[in-house]
């Protein structure tokens, strides 16, 4: 693909079509003051494309336009595009002029004619309303009666020169692929500066439209075929901006809606990241996506819940049974539910519808359940392409996306997703069943989470009317237990704990009793000691008194005997208790 | 607007209807000039003195073409008598014009 939008812009003046993807492909739109040829089989969407270009010009750039309807009655045409919500009535006459140019059925042709009069009339009308854009849809009807290739060429050339002269920008639609027209359009393609082909094919019973620029004189362009979808709002072209991989990344964490899962993911999903939840049927993938959008709405962020092959009301009811209240948020308008049958559109079409819903409601959080349903719509490569574009689009717009993928008929142990989205997704959560002791239990593991320290533990996922809870699985002795077995083990452990506590309490009480006894014994002994000491002190005092008395007696005796002090000094008898 | 009036049908005492034509042309484009010439020839030959031709030059009055829903030039409209019809081209296919006028050619 050669594609340099920057340089393309400086090359020539271009008229934006307002169809974003196409303006990206062409680096700005169709060539100004020139005639562009829009080829396509009947029903490919040429008329819608051309009309949308006029409407966008009138509405967004205030460039009035003229639509010359050669084949379809303009009233019917307006009626047909009413569903797109373009509100042509408001634009009509002042900003958008419809000229019915289909020849009456009873018209007789008698000789050669030319388009001089028509072009003069359009030019006058263009001057009157200040038109910049003119659509000829489609000119075949007028050229066929000429019935002469040379004259046709002459008229085509006339139109071509007329655009250059009047500085009007033109789109001329023409049928493609018919052998009759081949020669005519060969010449048209040769003289026009820009040729665009819209293809409408059916691949695997799914209708697919693609748009391709065949040539663009004086400008570079995206040469590939790009998916084109006619959405409820008009045409959308799914081209990828070359710099789309360069988007700002956020470090903000947002809740998954399940507390334990937030913890496992170190705070939740990164804002603007994509998460894939894969698992077998019934493993609560839908519930996880429901919890995510509920959490988003609780934070006040507009969210979109896309359910394929399941009605929105059904989803709301089922979610309510596990304590996830979506209805309140749907009623408040914060949450949009979009449910569709996957097979009704191709993946590219679904993508475009989602993109427009996202833009319309400024969606910040998106859940798609199940993304794998898109596999049913179209061939694998184009589906994968669409899914990849969706994820990239969400990332570049900072939208956090959670999508689920059903693993059906594949080896669950292989942990592999049919969509191969796992390589693009930032976080991959795997839900599975563990069958043990006659029951199935849900297990949750985080296979990867880019840029996040995440738990490597398997958790048991339990659904109740209180919502989703994650429980540690019981791991002991090398075995992992879940469900009833886990419950039993947990109960047993609980009992053991109670027993231990009781035992301890008893022991504590016994010690308390012992302690009391011992301290009372200590008190008794202390008192005994006290009384003994008191008795001793009494005896001591008595002894002192007796000694004093004895010495006094000796002194008196000596004095009476006039005895020599030295000879008569005798020790006081030391014997204890001799007086008692 | 240019009117070529050859309105002398009173001579026919009202038995033959008056043919009123409107021819839309684009200035002096070859097809348009040829159409004027061819129409006048046919009228001279087959409808002498009972025709009326109005010539509208789209280049002079382009918005009229849109109002009258005439798209290609030249276009001939038979305004009267009924039925009215429109005919594209330079009218060089004389048999077709005559057929449209209900005139049989004796060959």
């Amino acid at each position: 693909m050669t594609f340099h939008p920057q340089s393309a812009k400086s090359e020539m003046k271009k008229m934006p079509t307002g169809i974003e993807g196409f303006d990206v492909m062409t680096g700005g739109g169709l060539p100004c003051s020139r005639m562009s040829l829009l080829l396509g089989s009947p029903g490919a969407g040429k008329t819608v494309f051309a009309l949308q270009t006029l409407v966008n010009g009138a509405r967004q750039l205030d460039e009035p336009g003229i639509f010359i309807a050669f084949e379809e009655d303009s009233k019917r045409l307006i009626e047909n595009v009413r569903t797109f919500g373009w509100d042509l009535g408001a634009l009509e006459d002042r900003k958008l002029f419809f000229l019915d140019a289909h020849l009456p059925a009873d018209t007789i042709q008698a000789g050669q004619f030319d388009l001089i009069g028509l072009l003069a009339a359009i030019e006058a009308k263009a001057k009157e309303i200040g038109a910049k854009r003119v659509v000829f849809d489609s000119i075949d009807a007028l050229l066929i009666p000429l019935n002469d290739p040379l004259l046709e060429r002459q008229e085509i050339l006339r139109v071509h020169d007329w655009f250059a002269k009047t500085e009007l920008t033109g789109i001329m639609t023409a049928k493609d692929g018919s052998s009759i027209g081949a020669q005519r359009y060969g010449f048209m393609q040769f003289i026009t500066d820009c040729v665009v082909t819209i293809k409408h094919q059916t691949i695997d019973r799914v209708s697919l439209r693609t748009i391709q620029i065949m040539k663009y004189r004086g400008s570079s362009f995206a040469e590939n075929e790009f998916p084109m979808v006619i959405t409820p709002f008009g045409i959308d072209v799914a081209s990828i901006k070359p710099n789309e991989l360069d988007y700002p990344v956020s470090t903000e964490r947002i809740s998954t809606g399940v507390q334990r899962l937030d913890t496992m993911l170190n705070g939740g999903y990164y804002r603007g990241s994509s998460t894939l939840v894969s698992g077998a049927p019934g493993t609560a993938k839908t519930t996880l996506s429901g919890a995510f959008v509920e959490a988003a709405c609780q934070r006040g962020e507009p969210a979109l819940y896309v359910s394929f092959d399941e009605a929105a009301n059904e989803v709301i009811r089922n979610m309510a049974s596990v304590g996830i209240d979506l209805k309140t948020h749907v009623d408040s308008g914060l949450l949009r539910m979009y449910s569709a049958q996957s097979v009704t559109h191709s993946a590219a079409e679904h993508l475009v519808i989602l993109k427009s819903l996202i833009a319309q409601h400024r969606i910040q959080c998106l859940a798609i359940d199940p993304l794998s349903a898109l596999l049913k719509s179209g061939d694998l490569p184009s589906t994968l392409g669409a899914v990849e574009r969706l994820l990239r689009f969400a990332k570049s717009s900072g939208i956090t996306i959670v999508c689920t993928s059903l693993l059906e008929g594949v080896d669950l142990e292989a942990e592999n997703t049919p969509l191969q989205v796992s390589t693009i997704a930032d976080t991959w959560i795997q839900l599975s069943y563990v069958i043990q002791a006659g029951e199935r239990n849900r297990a949750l593991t985080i296979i990867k989470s880019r840029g996040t320290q995440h738990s490597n533990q398997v958790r048991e996922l339990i659904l109740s009317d209180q919502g989703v809870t994650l429980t540690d699985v019981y791991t002991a002795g090398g075995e992992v237990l879940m469900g009833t077995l886990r419950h039993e083990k947990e109960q047993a452990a609980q009992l053991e704990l109670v027993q231990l506590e009781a035992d301890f309490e008893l022991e504590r009480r016994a010690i308390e009793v012992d302690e009391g006894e011992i301290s009372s014994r200590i008190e008794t002994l202390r008192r005994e000691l006290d009384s003994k000491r008191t008795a001793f002190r009494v005896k001591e005092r008595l002894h002192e008194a007796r000694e004093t008395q004895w010495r006094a007696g000796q002194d008196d005796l000596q004095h009476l005997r006039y005895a020599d002090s030295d000879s008569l000094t005798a020790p006081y008898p030391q014997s204890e208790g001799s007086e008692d | 607007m240019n009117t070529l009036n050859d309105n002398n049908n009173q001579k026919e005492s009202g038995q033959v209807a008056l043919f009123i034509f409107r021819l839309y042309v684009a200035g002096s484009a070859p097809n348009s000039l040829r159409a004027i010439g061819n129409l006048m020839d046919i009228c001279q030959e087959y409808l002498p003195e009972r025709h009326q031709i109005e010539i509208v030059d789209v280049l002079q009055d382009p918005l009229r073409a849109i109002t009258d829903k005439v798209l290609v030039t030249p276009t001939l409209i038979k305004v009267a008598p009924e039925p009215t019809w429109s005919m594209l081209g330079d009218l060089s296919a004389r048999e077709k014009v005559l057929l449209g006028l209900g005139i049989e050619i004796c060959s």
Side-chain angles (χ1 to χ4, degrees):
Chain A
M1 188 163 89
T2 56
F3 193 36
H4 312 287
Q6 263 69 38
S7 58
K9 256 172 210 157
S10 57
E11 281 167 23
M12 63 193 304
K13 238 184 130 203
K14 291 182 181 176
M15 178 197 79
T17 60
I19 299 168
E20 207 181 315
F22 184 79
D23 289 342
V24 169
M25 282 169 75
T26 49
L30 297 170
C32 270
S33 314
R34 311 247 179 121
M35 177 177 97
S36 297
L37 186 63
L38 186 58
L39 296 170
S41 53
K46 304 181 294 292
T47 303
V48 179
F49 187 100
L51 187 53
Q52 194 169 345
T53 302
L54 288 192
V55 171
N56 287 343
R59 191 149 286 152
Q60 295 163 12
L61 298 165
D62 200 28
E63 286 185 13
I66 298 177
F67 190 97
I68 303 140
F70 288 103
E71 286 185 323
E72 210 174 352
D73 183 71
S74 70
K75 280 200 180 58
R76 280 186 56 196
L77 184 71
I78 292 168
E79 193 61 45
N80 292 347
V81 299
R82 190 175 298 275
T83 52
F84 294 132
W86 293 341
D87 191 19
L88 295 183
L91 295 173
E92 223 181 322
D93 290 340
R94 287 182 304 112
K95 293 279 187 68
L96 198 53
F97 180 77
F98 284 92
L99 176 61
D100 277 309
H102 58 277
L103 296 171
D106 57 357
T107 303
I108 310 155
Q109 198 210 332
Q112 298 172 6
F113 59 87
D114 53 61
L115 302 178
I116 301 172
L118 175 70
L119 296 177
I122 296 167
E123 195 178 338
K125 193 71 199 175
K127 276 213 180 79
E128 189 189 287
I129 66 168
K132 296 268 192 323
R133 305 171 177 215
V134 177
V135 169
F136 287 79
D137 180 51
S138 66
I139 203 158
D140 325 51
L142 212 52
L143 293 179
I144 289 166
L146 279 173
N147 203 19
D148 182 340
L150 272 176
L151 290 178
E152 274 183 21
R153 284 184 181 203
Q154 190 187 310
E155 293 314 306
I156 292 166
L157 210 54
R158 194 192 301 284
V159 175
H160 176 259
D161 294 346
W162 177 80
F163 274 113
K165 191 190 80 176
T166 57
E167 297 193 335
L168 290 165
T169 304
I171 299 177
M172 194 173 291
T173 70
K175 284 180 202 71
D176 187 24
S178 64
S179 54
I180 320 152
Q183 200 185 2
R184 175 183 307 149
Y185 304 123
F187 177 70
M188 274 174 117
Q189 289 189 43
F190 173 68
I191 68 155
T192 49
D193 296 299
C194 177
V195 180
V196 178
T197 311
I198 301 176
K199 268 190 212 151
H200 188 196
Q201 299 157 281
T202 306
I203 300 170
D204 282 349
R205 290 174 294 150
V206 170
S207 136
L208 281 176
R209 285 185 172 86
T210 52
I211 189 163
Q212 187 178 19
I213 298 162
M214 309 303 286
K215 79 177 215 188
Y216 199 144
R217 260 184 213 144
S219 169
S220 59
F221 56 93
E223 289 178 41
N224 292 355
E225 268 186 12
F226 288 93
M228 185 191 99
V229 182
I230 300 180
T231 74
F233 318 102
I235 281 181
D236 194 289
V237 174
S239 70
I240 300 169
K241 285 179 193 148
N243 55 351
E244 203 159 304
L245 277 178
D246 180 27
Y247 38 75
V249 291
S250 170
T251 50
E252 189 193 340
R253 299 281 190 170
I254 59 172
S255 172
T256 62
V258 180
Q259 211 183 350
R260 276 297 290 274
L261 190 55
D262 288 349
T263 318
M264 282 178 83
L265 286 168
N266 208 6
Y269 306 130
Y270 273 126
R271 183 176 293 286
S273 71
S274 54
T275 301
L276 177 73
V277 181
S278 67
T283 43
K285 298 181 298 296
T286 304
T287 314
L288 273 191
S289 28
F292 167 66
V293 293
E294 191 196 25
C297 291
Q298 281 165 355
R299 289 191 303 271
E301 293 170 13
L304 173 66
Y305 189 98
V306 182
S307 56
F308 285 117
D309 305 325
E310 194 175 5
N313 286 334
E314 230 175 317
V315 175
I316 292 172
R317 182 201 63 196
N318 296 349
M319 290 291 175
S321 74
V322 286
I324 295 169
D325 175 25
L326 298 184
K327 192 167 185 306
T328 314
H329 302 301
V330 171
D331 291 344
S332 73
L334 212 48
L335 176 62
R336 309 289 308 189
M337 302 290 289
Y338 170 77
S339 34
Q341 268 182 292
S342 49
V343 287
T344 52
H345 297 286
S346 67
E349 284 173 308
H350 282 301
L351 165 71
V352 161
I353 296 167
L354 294 187
K355 271 172 93 168
S356 53
L357 279 171
I358 287 167
Q360 220 179 350
H361 304 292
R362 295 191 175 81
I363 298 299
Q364 288 183 37
C365 293
L366 170 68
I368 303 175
D369 177 51
L371 188 65
S372 46
L374 289 177
L375 281 183
K376 284 191 263 174
S377 44
D379 61 324
L380 193 61
S382 67
T383 303
L384 288 178
V387 168
E388 212 174 305
R389 281 200 304 279
L390 174 65
L391 294 185
R392 297 220 191 291
F393 164 74
K395 277 197 162 185
S396 60
S397 341
I399 294 166
T400 317
I401 178 167
V402 170
C403 46
T404 68
S405 173
L406 188 64
L407 295 176
E408 224 169 357
V410 291
D411 182 12
L412 295 186
E413 288 300 304
E415 286 177 346
N416 129 28
T417 57
L419 274 176
Q420 296 153 4
V421 182
S422 43
T423 50
I424 323 167
D426 297 308
T427 302
W428 182 8
I429 296 172
Q430 163 81 10
L431 296 173
S432 57
Y433 280 125
V434 174
I435 305 176
Q436 255 174 354
E439 62 182 40
R440 270 172 182 270
N441 293 297
R442 299 179 176 96
L444 179 147
T445 26
I446 296 167
I447 294 177
K448 71 163 184 184
S449 187
R450 285 188 190 135
T452 305
Q453 204 172 13
H454 58 89
S455 169
N456 65 347
Q457 303 273 294
V458 177
R459 294 276 186 278
E460 185 179 349
L461 190 145
I462 297 167
L463 293 178
S464 69
D465 53 6
Q466 302 299 309
V468 188
T469 39
L470 293 178
T471 316
D472 287 330
V473 294
Y474 191 90
T475 47
E479 60 173 348
V480 175
L481 299 180
M482 287 190 181
T484 313
L485 284 180
R486 172 183 54 79
H487 188 69
E488 279 169 3
K489 283 274 180 182
E490 279 173 0
Q491 293 294 307
Q494 189 95 37
L495 273 178
E496 213 173 306
L497 194 68
V498 169
Q499 184 68 51
L500 274 174
E501 264 175 24
D503 289 353
F504 178 73
E505 184 65 19
L506 278 174
E507 218 164 302
R508 197 171 61 83
R509 288 274 163 84
I511 284 171
E512 266 172 22
V513 169
D514 285 357
E515 200 182 298
E517 209 175 297
I518 288 166
S519 38
S520 71
R521 259 160 59 199
I522 289 171
E523 184 66 12
T524 316
L525 286 171
R526 198 178 55 80
R527 280 191 191 154
E528 209 179 308
L529 184 66
D530 269 1
S531 65
K532 279 203 172 153
R533 275 182 185 152
T534 313
F536 178 71
R537 268 197 297 275
V538 170
K539 206 179 269 183
E540 203 174 32
R541 234 175 282 151
L542 204 64
H543 173 73
E544 276 170 19
R546 201 170 286 157
E547 192 189 67
T548 314
Q549 230 172 20
W550 183 79
R551 283 199 196 283
Q554 285 290 312
D555 284 350
D556 286 347
L557 209 64
Q558 227 167 14
H559 185 68
L560 288 172
R561 285 178 185 168
Y562 305 106
D564 187 16
S565 60
D566 291 346
S567 57
L568 283 171
T569 305
Y572 175 75
Q574 290 297 313
S575 63
E576 207 174 301
S578 58
E579 298 296 312
D580 289 332
Chain B
M1 202 197 334
N2 196 0
T3 306
L4 304 178
N5 198 344
D6 246 342
N7 186 2
N8 288 323
N9 68 327
Q10 283 87 351
K11 284 176 190 170
E12 309 288 331
S13 61
Q15 286 173 349
V16 189
L18 173 69
F19 282 79
I20 303 174
F21 297 107
R22 198 183 295 140
L23 182 65
Y24 292 83
V25 296
S28 54
N31 282 334
S32 297
L33 291 182
R34 270 201 301 278
I36 297 171
N38 285 331
L39 179 63
M40 288 176 81
D41 283 355
I42 291 165
C43 286
Q44 290 293 345
E45 196 170 331
Y46 298 98
L47 306 165
E49 302 188 338
R50 52 190 183 99
H51 62 272
Q52 205 176 18
I53 301 169
E54 181 194 354
I55 292 178
V56 179
D57 184 354
V58 174
L59 299 188
Q60 299 292 318
D61 190 3
L63 293 177
R64 176 152 179 201
I66 289 177
T67 320
D68 294 358
K69 296 197 183 299
V70 168
L71 304 157
V72 296
T73 46
T75 294
L76 176 68
I77 291 180
K78 189 179 83 161
V79 182
E82 291 285 324
T84 62
W85 46 244
S86 63
M87 193 176 278
L88 301 185
D90 61 5
L91 310 178
S92 54
R94 183 172 277 232
E95 326 80 67
K96 282 191 182 175
V97 182
L98 294 178
L99 203 67
L101 291 170
I103 298 163
E104 283 181 38
I105 317 155
C106 313
S107 49

